[in-house]
Amino acid sequence: HGPRRMCAPVLLQEIDRLSRVEKVRAARKIVKKYRRREERREIRKLRKLLPHGDRLRSRQVIDETVNLIVELEQRLLRKISSQGWMPTVLSNTGLDQSQISLHTLREAMALVVPRGDVHTSIDRQKAHQ
């Protein structure tokens, strides 16, 4: 056997000969392939956001991204607590500055962050720059 190519053209007559189980299995392989491709694309985007991201493995990229998000949340929380400064977008959510916590900050952020997938948000930010 040579290398298998998932996207190799298949004659329609050959597809008709496949059983239902084989068709489902083939379809799942294709879905899995495109999910992996999308995941790799997202990891590449995250690598660009991280210092030294090009040297990290995928799992490390995810861990470092989580660490960066937590660090930014804590910075924002400290700034709101110490300076009394509240970003307009957050004040519109009803977030109370006097009773702010990491939990309430995250709840407010969930209200203002777009619901789309991550790469859509990143692409929109780049478009506005």
Side-chain angles (χ1 to χ4, degrees):
H1 287 279
R4 291 186 68 190
R5 294 178 39 204
M6 282 188 150
C7 291
V10 178
L11 297 175
L12 291 177
Q13 297 88 356
E14 289 181 32
I15 292 174
D16 288 338
R17 283 189 245 150
L18 295 176
S19 72
R20 178 168 162 42
V21 171
E22 291 170 322
K23 288 177 185 176
V24 168
R25 188 175 294 136
R28 286 182 179 155
K29 278 181 151 181
I30 291 170
V31 168
K32 185 176 180 180
K33 171 189 173 181
Y34 284 101
R35 280 188 183 144
R36 278 194 314 262
R37 180 182 288 178
E38 184 64 23
E39 184 179 308
R40 284 191 301 268
R41 184 179 298 131
E42 295 302 324
I43 292 292
R44 276 195 304 274
K45 288 179 183 181
L46 290 173
R47 280 182 204 282
K48 291 177 185 176
L49 297 174
L50 298 171
H52 312 295
D54 55 331
R55 298 185 207 152
L56 302 174
R57 295 178 187 264
S58 294
R59 181 67 188 168
Q60 292 170 313
V61 169
I62 293 169
D63 289 342
E64 289 300 313
T65 302
V66 169
N67 290 340
L68 178 60
I69 291 168
V70 169
E71 178 187 333
L72 292 172
E73 286 173 334
Q74 290 171 345
R75 270 203 238 162
L76 180 58
L77 184 61
R78 279 194 304 273
K79 190 168 189 175
I80 292 170
S81 298
S82 67
Q83 299 176 5
W85 174 80
M86 177 74 73
T88 307
V89 70
L90 289 178
S91 61
N92 293 339
T93 64
L95 184 61
D96 184 4
Q97 197 169 313
S98 63
Q99 297 177 345
I100 194 163
S101 67
L102 190 54
H103 178 72
T104 57
L105 177 62
R106 285 179 177 165
E107 284 180 339
M109 292 294 290
L111 295 173
V112 297
V113 172
R115 287 280 187 229
D117 54 353
V118 174
H119 78 273
T120 304
S121 302
I122 293 171
D123 292 341
R124 266 184 278 187
Q125 288 173 1
K126 286 181 182 177
H128 292 293
Q129 292 177 350

